[in-house]
mmCIF file of all heavy atoms in Angstrom:
data_model
loop_
_atom_site.group_PDB
_atom_site.id
_atom_site.type_symbol
_atom_site.label_atom_id
_atom_site.label_comp_id
_atom_site.label_asym_id
_atom_site.label_seq_id
_atom_site.Cartn_x
_atom_site.Cartn_y
_atom_site.Cartn_z
ATOM 1 N N MET A 24 13.753 0.456 -6.268
ATOM 2 C CA MET A 24 12.300 0.672 -6.223
ATOM 3 C C MET A 24 11.551 -0.623 -6.523
ATOM 4 O O MET A 24 10.502 -0.883 -5.926
ATOM 5 C CB MET A 24 11.927 1.764 -7.231
ATOM 6 C CG MET A 24 10.518 2.309 -7.021
ATOM 7 S SD MET A 24 10.284 2.962 -5.358
ATOM 8 C CE MET A 24 11.471 4.327 -5.363
ATOM 9 N N VAL A 25 12.089 -1.435 -7.434
ATOM 10 C CA VAL A 25 11.449 -2.732 -7.732
ATOM 11 C C VAL A 25 11.425 -3.604 -6.476
ATOM 12 O O VAL A 25 10.392 -4.239 -6.146
ATOM 13 C CB VAL A 25 12.259 -3.468 -8.851
ATOM 14 C CG1 VAL A 25 11.769 -4.902 -8.999
ATOM 15 C CG2 VAL A 25 12.083 -2.724 -10.178
ATOM 16 N N GLU A 26 12.505 -3.587 -5.694
ATOM 17 C CA GLU A 26 12.533 -4.356 -4.463
ATOM 18 C C GLU A 26 11.558 -3.819 -3.416
ATOM 19 O O GLU A 26 10.871 -4.620 -2.766
ATOM 20 C CB GLU A 26 13.979 -4.330 -3.907
ATOM 21 C CG GLU A 26 14.145 -5.163 -2.637
ATOM 22 C CD GLU A 26 15.554 -5.148 -2.132
ATOM 23 O OE1 GLU A 26 16.458 -4.630 -2.831
ATOM 24 O OE2 GLU A 26 15.784 -5.603 -0.969
ATOM 25 N N LYS A 27 11.483 -2.496 -3.304
ATOM 26 C CA LYS A 27 10.553 -1.896 -2.339
ATOM 27 C C LYS A 27 9.086 -2.234 -2.699
ATOM 28 O O LYS A 27 8.288 -2.576 -1.849
ATOM 29 C CB LYS A 27 10.760 -0.386 -2.288
ATOM 30 C CG LYS A 27 12.031 0.063 -1.592
ATOM 31 C CD LYS A 27 12.157 1.547 -1.594
ATOM 32 C CE LYS A 27 13.469 2.001 -0.926
ATOM 33 N NZ LYS A 27 13.613 3.477 -0.879
ATOM 34 N N VAL A 28 8.787 -2.086 -3.988
ATOM 35 C CA VAL A 28 7.407 -2.367 -4.424
ATOM 36 C C VAL A 28 7.056 -3.824 -4.200
ATOM 37 O O VAL A 28 5.956 -4.132 -3.733
ATOM 38 C CB VAL A 28 7.239 -1.986 -5.917
ATOM 39 C CG1 VAL A 28 5.911 -2.478 -6.463
ATOM 40 C CG2 VAL A 28 7.373 -0.504 -6.122
ATOM 41 N N ALA A 29 8.005 -4.717 -4.482
ATOM 42 C CA ALA A 29 7.780 -6.131 -4.247
ATOM 43 C C ALA A 29 7.538 -6.421 -2.781
ATOM 44 O O ALA A 29 6.659 -7.237 -2.432
ATOM 45 C CB ALA A 29 8.962 -6.960 -4.766
ATOM 46 N N ASN A 30 8.282 -5.785 -1.924
ATOM 47 C CA ASN A 30 8.084 -5.966 -0.477
ATOM 48 C C ASN A 30 6.747 -5.481 0.013
ATOM 49 O O ASN A 30 6.050 -6.131 0.804
ATOM 50 C CB ASN A 30 9.234 -5.272 0.272
ATOM 51 C CG ASN A 30 9.164 -5.512 1.766
ATOM 52 O OD1 ASN A 30 9.127 -6.660 2.210
ATOM 53 N ND2 ASN A 30 9.189 -4.460 2.550
ATOM 54 N N ILE A 31 6.318 -4.281 -0.526
ATOM 55 C CA ILE A 31 5.046 -3.759 -0.196
ATOM 56 C C ILE A 31 3.917 -4.699 -0.648
ATOM 57 O O ILE A 31 2.968 -4.954 0.114
ATOM 58 C CB ILE A 31 4.820 -2.359 -0.793
ATOM 59 C CG1 ILE A 31 5.757 -1.357 -0.144
ATOM 60 C CG2 ILE A 31 3.385 -1.885 -0.698
ATOM 61 C CD1 ILE A 31 5.770 0.025 -0.813
ATOM 62 N N ASN A 32 4.035 -5.240 -1.819
ATOM 63 C CA ASN A 32 3.008 -6.155 -2.335
ATOM 64 C C ASN A 32 2.990 -7.468 -1.574
ATOM 65 O O ASN A 32 1.909 -8.089 -1.435
ATOM 66 C CB ASN A 32 3.204 -6.377 -3.822
ATOM 67 C CG ASN A 32 2.738 -5.224 -4.668
ATOM 68 O OD1 ASN A 32 1.729 -4.608 -4.335
ATOM 69 N ND2 ASN A 32 3.457 -4.903 -5.741
ATOM 70 N N ARG A 33 4.155 -7.918 -1.078
ATOM 71 C CA ARG A 33 4.155 -9.145 -0.239
ATOM 72 C C ARG A 33 3.346 -8.885 1.041
ATOM 73 O O ARG A 33 2.573 -9.737 1.476
ATOM 74 C CB ARG A 33 5.599 -9.511 0.121
ATOM 75 C CG ARG A 33 6.333 -10.277 -0.986
ATOM 76 C CD ARG A 33 7.583 -10.942 -0.438
ATOM 77 N NE ARG A 33 8.552 -9.970 0.004
ATOM 78 C CZ ARG A 33 9.509 -9.460 -0.766
ATOM 79 N NH1 ARG A 33 9.574 -9.792 -2.051
ATOM 80 N NH2 ARG A 33 10.369 -8.551 -0.268
ATOM 81 N N ILE A 34 3.522 -7.722 1.636
ATOM 82 C CA ILE A 34 2.819 -7.370 2.853
ATOM 83 C C ILE A 34 1.321 -7.288 2.541
ATOM 84 O O ILE A 34 0.474 -7.742 3.323
ATOM 85 C CB ILE A 34 3.333 -6.051 3.425
ATOM 86 C CG1 ILE A 34 4.776 -6.205 3.888
ATOM 87 C CG2 ILE A 34 2.454 -5.573 4.579
ATOM 88 C CD1 ILE A 34 5.437 -4.887 4.310
ATOM 89 N N ARG A 35 0.967 -6.707 1.386
ATOM 90 C CA ARG A 35 -0.442 -6.545 1.015
ATOM 91 C C ARG A 35 -1.091 -7.909 0.785
ATOM 92 O O ARG A 35 -2.261 -8.101 1.110
ATOM 93 C CB ARG A 35 -0.578 -5.665 -0.222
ATOM 94 C CG ARG A 35 -0.231 -4.217 0.031
ATOM 95 C CD ARG A 35 -0.759 -3.303 -1.039
ATOM 96 N NE ARG A 35 -0.605 -1.895 -0.681
ATOM 97 C CZ ARG A 35 -1.210 -0.900 -1.277
ATOM 98 N NH1 ARG A 35 -2.028 -1.147 -2.335
ATOM 99 N NH2 ARG A 35 -1.011 0.344 -0.911
ATOM 100 N N VAL A 36 -0.336 -8.832 0.201
ATOM 101 C CA VAL A 36 -0.865 -10.177 -0.015
ATOM 102 C C VAL A 36 -1.191 -10.857 1.312
ATOM 103 O O VAL A 36 -2.224 -11.467 1.503
ATOM 104 C CB VAL A 36 0.130 -11.027 -0.849
ATOM 105 C CG1 VAL A 36 -0.297 -12.478 -0.828
ATOM 106 C CG2 VAL A 36 0.169 -10.524 -2.274
ATOM 107 N N GLU A 37 -0.250 -10.684 2.278
ATOM 108 C CA GLU A 37 -0.469 -11.320 3.584
ATOM 109 C C GLU A 37 -1.706 -10.714 4.284
ATOM 110 O O GLU A 37 -2.511 -11.431 4.859
ATOM 111 C CB GLU A 37 0.774 -11.106 4.465
ATOM 112 C CG GLU A 37 1.999 -11.870 3.961
ATOM 113 C CD GLU A 37 3.236 -11.507 4.736
ATOM 114 O OE1 GLU A 37 3.142 -10.686 5.676
ATOM 115 O OE2 GLU A 37 4.322 -12.081 4.438
ATOM 116 N N LYS A 38 -1.840 -9.379 4.211
ATOM 117 C CA LYS A 38 -2.995 -8.754 4.825
ATOM 118 C C LYS A 38 -4.290 -9.064 4.089
ATOM 119 O O LYS A 38 -5.345 -9.164 4.682
ATOM 120 C CB LYS A 38 -2.778 -7.232 4.856
ATOM 121 C CG LYS A 38 -1.688 -6.791 5.856
ATOM 122 C CD LYS A 38 -1.646 -5.272 5.991
ATOM 123 C CE LYS A 38 -0.633 -4.857 7.069
ATOM 124 N NZ LYS A 38 -0.601 -3.411 7.276
ATOM 125 N N SER A 39 -4.178 -9.236 2.790
ATOM 126 C CA SER A 39 -5.352 -9.549 1.974
ATOM 127 C C SER A 39 -5.920 -10.924 2.355
ATOM 128 O O SER A 39 -7.149 -11.117 2.367
ATOM 129 C CB SER A 39 -5.016 -9.512 0.492
ATOM 130 O OG SER A 39 -4.716 -8.200 0.069
ATOM 131 N N GLU A 40 -5.051 -11.862 2.670
ATOM 132 C CA GLU A 40 -5.494 -13.190 3.068
ATOM 133 C C GLU A 40 -6.387 -13.102 4.308
ATOM 134 O O GLU A 40 -7.443 -13.743 4.425
ATOM 135 C CB GLU A 40 -4.299 -14.086 3.321
ATOM 136 C CG GLU A 40 -3.550 -14.455 2.059
ATOM 137 C CD GLU A 40 -2.316 -15.260 2.350
ATOM 138 O OE1 GLU A 40 -1.976 -15.457 3.551
ATOM 139 O OE2 GLU A 40 -1.617 -15.705 1.373
ATOM 140 N N ALA A 41 -5.956 -12.259 5.268
ATOM 141 C CA ALA A 41 -6.745 -12.091 6.493
ATOM 142 C C ALA A 41 -8.076 -11.365 6.197
ATOM 143 O O ALA A 41 -9.124 -11.700 6.779
ATOM 144 C CB ALA A 41 -5.967 -11.305 7.536
ATOM 145 N N LEU A 42 -8.027 -10.407 5.280
ATOM 146 C CA LEU A 42 -9.254 -9.683 4.922
ATOM 147 C C LEU A 42 -10.251 -10.544 4.221
ATOM 148 O O LEU A 42 -11.468 -10.527 4.500
ATOM 149 C CB LEU A 42 -8.906 -8.460 4.049
ATOM 150 C CG LEU A 42 -8.124 -7.307 4.701
ATOM 151 C CD1 LEU A 42 -7.704 -6.267 3.660
ATOM 152 C CD2 LEU A 42 -8.976 -6.647 5.801
ATOM 153 N N VAL A 43 -9.761 -11.370 3.268
ATOM 154 C CA VAL A 43 -10.634 -12.276 2.529
ATOM 155 C C VAL A 43 -11.258 -13.305 3.466
ATOM 156 O O VAL A 43 -12.442 -13.660 3.332
ATOM 157 C CB VAL A 43 -9.827 -12.985 1.386
ATOM 158 C CG1 VAL A 43 -10.670 -14.096 0.768
ATOM 159 C CG2 VAL A 43 -9.409 -11.973 0.351
ATOM 160 N N ALA A 44 -10.499 -13.741 4.449
ATOM 161 C CA ALA A 44 -11.008 -14.703 5.420
ATOM 162 C C ALA A 44 -12.184 -14.099 6.214
ATOM 163 O O ALA A 44 -13.065 -14.848 6.668
ATOM 164 C CB ALA A 44 -9.926 -15.161 6.367
ATOM 165 N N LYS A 45 -12.176 -12.764 6.369
ATOM 166 C CA LYS A 45 -13.242 -12.099 7.073
ATOM 167 C C LYS A 45 -14.407 -11.728 6.137
ATOM 168 O O LYS A 45 -15.391 -11.123 6.574
ATOM 169 C CB LYS A 45 -12.734 -10.815 7.727
ATOM 170 C CG LYS A 45 -11.690 -11.047 8.817
ATOM 171 C CD LYS A 45 -11.215 -9.718 9.389
ATOM 172 C CE LYS A 45 -10.136 -9.907 10.417
ATOM 173 N NZ LYS A 45 -9.641 -8.590 10.932
ATOM 174 N N GLY A 46 -14.244 -12.070 4.849
ATOM 175 C CA GLY A 46 -15.282 -11.712 3.882
ATOM 176 C C GLY A 46 -15.135 -10.304 3.302
ATOM 177 O O GLY A 46 -16.049 -9.805 2.676
ATOM 178 N N GLU A 47 -13.992 -9.677 3.523
ATOM 179 C CA GLU A 47 -13.774 -8.333 2.991
ATOM 180 C C GLU A 47 -12.957 -8.389 1.699
ATOM 181 O O GLU A 47 -12.381 -9.433 1.364
ATOM 182 C CB GLU A 47 -13.004 -7.486 4.042
ATOM 183 C CG GLU A 47 -13.752 -7.347 5.383
ATOM 184 C CD GLU A 47 -13.001 -6.560 6.374
ATOM 185 O OE1 GLU A 47 -12.036 -5.835 5.963
ATOM 186 O OE2 GLU A 47 -13.302 -6.633 7.603
ATOM 187 N N ASP A 48 -12.880 -7.256 0.995
ATOM 188 C CA ASP A 48 -12.136 -7.197 -0.262
ATOM 189 C C ASP A 48 -10.634 -7.194 -0.045
ATOM 190 O O ASP A 48 -10.141 -6.630 0.957
ATOM 191 C CB ASP A 48 -12.523 -5.933 -1.052
ATOM 192 C CG ASP A 48 -13.955 -5.970 -1.488
ATOM 193 O OD1 ASP A 48 -14.528 -7.075 -1.644
ATOM 194 O OD2 ASP A 48 -14.544 -4.860 -1.675
ATOM 195 N N ALA A 49 -9.913 -7.837 -0.960
ATOM 196 C CA ALA A 49 -8.460 -7.852 -0.872
ATOM 197 C C ALA A 49 -7.903 -6.476 -1.280
ATOM 198 O O ALA A 49 -8.540 -5.705 -1.967
ATOM 199 C CB ALA A 49 -7.897 -8.934 -1.805
ATOM 200 N N LEU A 50 -6.688 -6.216 -0.813
ATOM 201 C CA LEU A 50 -6.025 -4.948 -1.125
ATOM 202 C C LEU A 50 -5.523 -4.988 -2.584
ATOM 203 O O LEU A 50 -5.106 -6.023 -3.069
ATOM 204 C CB LEU A 50 -4.834 -4.722 -0.200
ATOM 205 C CG LEU A 50 -5.173 -4.587 1.278
ATOM 206 C CD1 LEU A 50 -3.888 -4.523 2.114
ATOM 207 C CD2 LEU A 50 -6.021 -3.338 1.554
ATOM 208 N N ASP A 51 -5.557 -3.831 -3.246
ATOM 209 C CA ASP A 51 -5.041 -3.732 -4.611
ATOM 210 C C ASP A 51 -3.526 -3.812 -4.601
ATOM 211 O O ASP A 51 -2.879 -3.446 -3.626
ATOM 212 C CB ASP A 51 -5.496 -2.408 -5.260
ATOM 213 C CG ASP A 51 -6.981 -2.335 -5.445
ATOM 214 O OD1 ASP A 51 -7.609 -3.395 -5.600
ATOM 215 O OD2 ASP A 51 -7.524 -1.220 -5.401
ATOM 216 N N ARG A 52 -2.976 -4.258 -5.683
ATOM 217 C CA ARG A 52 -1.489 -4.263 -5.830
ATOM 218 C C ARG A 52 -0.973 -2.834 -5.886
ATOM 219 O O ARG A 52 -1.597 -1.953 -6.461
ATOM 220 C CB ARG A 52 -1.038 -5.068 -7.045
ATOM 221 C CG ARG A 52 -1.197 -6.569 -6.898
ATOM 222 C CD ARG A 52 -0.609 -7.287 -8.095
ATOM 223 N NE ARG A 52 0.796 -7.000 -8.269
ATOM 224 C CZ ARG A 52 1.788 -7.618 -7.593
ATOM 225 N NH1 ARG A 52 1.485 -8.504 -6.674
ATOM 226 N NH2 ARG A 52 3.066 -7.302 -7.823
ATOM 227 N N TYR A 53 0.177 -2.626 -5.292
ATOM 228 C CA TYR A 53 0.753 -1.284 -5.252
ATOM 229 C C TYR A 53 1.661 -1.087 -6.483
ATOM 230 O O TYR A 53 2.440 -1.949 -6.851
ATOM 231 C CB TYR A 53 1.573 -1.106 -3.974
ATOM 232 C CG TYR A 53 2.423 0.168 -3.979
ATOM 233 C CD1 TYR A 53 1.868 1.388 -3.806
ATOM 234 C CD2 TYR A 53 3.835 0.067 -4.165
ATOM 235 C CE1 TYR A 53 2.643 2.556 -3.813
ATOM 236 C CE2 TYR A 53 4.614 1.193 -4.174
ATOM 237 C CZ TYR A 53 4.032 2.424 -3.974
ATOM 238 O OH TYR A 53 4.820 3.549 -3.994
ATOM 239 N N GLU A 54 1.553 0.113 -7.093
ATOM 240 C CA GLU A 54 2.458 0.497 -8.147
ATOM 241 C C GLU A 54 3.062 1.876 -7.801
ATOM 242 O O GLU A 54 2.332 2.755 -7.369
ATOM 243 C CB GLU A 54 1.743 0.569 -9.503
ATOM 244 C CG GLU A 54 2.668 0.930 -10.664
ATOM 245 C CD GLU A 54 1.975 1.006 -11.979
ATOM 246 O OE1 GLU A 54 0.857 1.568 -12.019
ATOM 247 O OE2 GLU A 54 2.543 0.535 -12.977
ATOM 248 N N PHE A 55 4.352 2.012 -7.984
ATOM 249 C CA PHE A 55 5.013 3.238 -7.585
ATOM 250 C C PHE A 55 4.516 4.443 -8.410
ATOM 251 O O PHE A 55 4.352 4.343 -9.644
ATOM 252 C CB PHE A 55 6.520 3.126 -7.723
ATOM 253 C CG PHE A 55 7.234 4.439 -7.568
ATOM 254 C CD1 PHE A 55 7.486 4.947 -6.302
ATOM 255 C CD2 PHE A 55 7.585 5.206 -8.679
ATOM 256 C CE1 PHE A 55 8.106 6.189 -6.141
ATOM 257 C CE2 PHE A 55 8.233 6.421 -8.515
ATOM 258 C CZ PHE A 55 8.479 6.912 -7.246
ATOM 259 N N ASP A 56 4.294 5.554 -7.733
ATOM 260 C CA ASP A 56 4.016 6.815 -8.360
ATOM 261 C C ASP A 56 4.664 7.903 -7.527
ATOM 262 O O ASP A 56 4.710 7.838 -6.300
ATOM 263 C CB ASP A 56 2.494 7.119 -8.445
ATOM 264 C CG ASP A 56 1.809 6.344 -9.554
ATOM 265 O OD1 ASP A 56 2.305 6.417 -10.696
ATOM 266 O OD2 ASP A 56 0.794 5.670 -9.296
ATOM 267 N N TYR A 57 5.163 8.946 -8.204
ATOM 268 C CA TYR A 57 5.567 10.123 -7.462
ATOM 269 C C TYR A 57 4.332 10.751 -6.863
ATOM 270 O O TYR A 57 3.222 10.697 -7.446
ATOM 271 C CB TYR A 57 6.219 11.167 -8.412
ATOM 272 C CG TYR A 57 7.554 10.737 -8.985
ATOM 273 C CD1 TYR A 57 7.747 10.668 -10.368
ATOM 274 C CD2 TYR A 57 8.613 10.408 -8.163
ATOM 275 C CE1 TYR A 57 8.943 10.333 -10.913
ATOM 276 C CE2 TYR A 57 9.836 10.066 -8.695
ATOM 277 C CZ TYR A 57 10.000 10.017 -10.068
ATOM 278 O OH TYR A 57 11.223 9.676 -10.608
ATOM 279 N N LEU A 58 4.462 11.385 -5.697
ATOM 280 C CA LEU A 58 3.330 11.973 -5.033
ATOM 281 C C LEU A 58 3.628 13.365 -4.514
ATOM 282 O O LEU A 58 4.774 13.662 -4.105
ATOM 283 C CB LEU A 58 2.885 11.104 -3.848
ATOM 284 C CG LEU A 58 2.234 9.762 -4.146
ATOM 285 C CD1 LEU A 58 1.947 8.994 -2.853
ATOM 286 C CD2 LEU A 58 0.936 9.932 -4.947
ATOM 287 N N LEU A 59 2.660 14.201 -4.541
ATOM 288 C CA LEU A 59 2.620 15.481 -3.831
ATOM 289 C C LEU A 59 1.764 15.233 -2.588
ATOM 290 O O LEU A 59 0.583 14.893 -2.723
ATOM 291 C CB LEU A 59 2.049 16.586 -4.697
ATOM 292 C CG LEU A 59 1.594 17.874 -3.962
ATOM 293 C CD1 LEU A 59 2.815 18.567 -3.291
ATOM 294 C CD2 LEU A 59 0.881 18.833 -4.903
ATOM 295 N N ILE A 60 2.347 15.436 -1.413
ATOM 296 C CA ILE A 60 1.596 15.226 -0.187
ATOM 297 C C ILE A 60 1.673 16.454 0.707
ATOM 298 O O ILE A 60 2.519 17.326 0.506
ATOM 299 C CB ILE A 60 2.128 13.969 0.595
ATOM 300 C CG1 ILE A 60 3.616 14.153 0.928
ATOM 301 C CG2 ILE A 60 1.937 12.713 -0.213
ATOM 302 C CD1 ILE A 60 4.220 12.992 1.690
ATOM 303 N N CYS A 61 0.791 16.506 1.672
ATOM 304 C CA CYS A 61 0.836 17.603 2.644
ATOM 305 C C CYS A 61 1.644 17.181 3.857
ATOM 306 O O CYS A 61 1.414 16.101 4.404
ATOM 307 C CB CYS A 61 -0.591 17.974 3.084
ATOM 308 S SG CYS A 61 -0.616 19.290 4.336
ATOM 309 N N ASN A 62 2.618 18.011 4.202
ATOM 310 C CA ASN A 62 3.526 17.653 5.292
ATOM 311 C C ASN A 62 3.255 18.499 6.547
ATOM 312 O O ASN A 62 4.126 18.654 7.412
ATOM 313 C CB ASN A 62 4.996 17.820 4.880
ATOM 314 C CG ASN A 62 5.919 16.895 5.641
ATOM 315 O OD1 ASN A 62 5.487 15.841 6.128
ATOM 316 N ND2 ASN A 62 7.178 17.282 5.784
ATOM 317 N N LYS A 63 2.065 19.070 6.628
ATOM 318 C CA LYS A 63 1.607 19.761 7.829
ATOM 319 C C LYS A 63 0.305 19.059 8.280
ATOM 320 O O LYS A 63 -0.540 18.800 7.441
ATOM 321 C CB LYS A 63 1.363 21.230 7.578
ATOM 322 C CG LYS A 63 2.595 22.061 7.441
ATOM 323 C CD LYS A 63 3.252 22.363 8.782
ATOM 324 C CE LYS A 63 4.399 23.344 8.637
ATOM 325 N NZ LYS A 63 5.532 22.845 7.844
ATOM 326 N N ILE A 64 0.166 18.851 9.591
ATOM 327 C CA ILE A 64 -1.071 18.245 10.088
ATOM 328 C C ILE A 64 -2.171 19.293 9.978
ATOM 329 O O ILE A 64 -2.267 20.169 10.828
ATOM 330 C CB ILE A 64 -0.910 17.727 11.514
ATOM 331 C CG1 ILE A 64 0.208 16.680 11.560
ATOM 332 C CG2 ILE A 64 -2.182 17.136 12.047
ATOM 333 C CD1 ILE A 64 0.525 16.153 12.947
ATOM 334 N N CYS A 65 -2.996 19.172 8.963
ATOM 335 C CA CYS A 65 -3.950 20.219 8.626
ATOM 336 C C CYS A 65 -5.402 19.857 8.926
ATOM 337 O O CYS A 65 -6.290 20.603 8.576
ATOM 338 C CB CYS A 65 -3.821 20.556 7.116
ATOM 339 S SG CYS A 65 -4.076 19.136 6.034
ATOM 340 N N GLY A 66 -5.632 18.726 9.585
ATOM 341 C CA GLY A 66 -6.974 18.319 9.911
ATOM 342 C C GLY A 66 -7.141 16.848 9.943
ATOM 343 O O GLY A 66 -6.205 16.080 9.750
ATOM 344 N N LYS A 67 -8.377 16.399 10.109
ATOM 345 C CA LYS A 67 -8.619 14.950 10.344
ATOM 346 C C LYS A 67 -8.341 14.112 9.117
ATOM 347 O O LYS A 67 -8.084 12.901 9.242
ATOM 348 C CB LYS A 67 -10.061 14.766 10.806
ATOM 349 C CG LYS A 67 -11.126 15.197 9.799
ATOM 350 C CD LYS A 67 -12.506 15.020 10.355
ATOM 351 C CE LYS A 67 -13.596 15.455 9.352
ATOM 352 N NZ LYS A 67 -14.954 15.281 9.893
ATOM 353 N N SER A 68 -8.397 14.677 7.895
ATOM 354 C CA SER A 68 -8.097 13.902 6.695
ATOM 355 C C SER A 68 -6.754 14.247 6.077
ATOM 356 O O SER A 68 -6.502 14.038 4.926
ATOM 357 C CB SER A 68 -9.215 14.094 5.656
ATOM 358 O OG SER A 68 -10.428 13.522 6.099
#
């Protein structure tokens, strides 16, 4: 999980550089959490 989180944050850093260059906010750092998600396509959100 440490390796996965580090990889996700590396990707976020790369994308944040492009966002900052456009004058937009950088992405927050990712921290692992267990999640309950919906696994049926239930609408637009």
Side-chain angles (χ1 to χ4, degrees):
M24 195 56 64
V25 170
E26 183 179 349
K27 288 180 181 180
V28 170
N30 185 52
I31 291 172
N32 283 323
R33 280 195 295 269
I34 295 173
R35 290 197 172 195
V36 168
E37 294 173 0
K38 291 188 175 182
S39 293
E40 292 175 355
L42 291 173
V43 171
K45 295 178 183 178
E47 301 178 18
D48 294 334
L50 299 173
D51 296 331
R52 286 186 59 81
Y53 169 74
E54 182 180 42
F55 170 81
D56 281 309
Y57 293 123
L58 290 176
L59 163 63
I60 59 180
C61 179
N62 207 26
K63 286 285 187 295
I64 300 177
C65 57
K67 61 182 180 180
S68 293

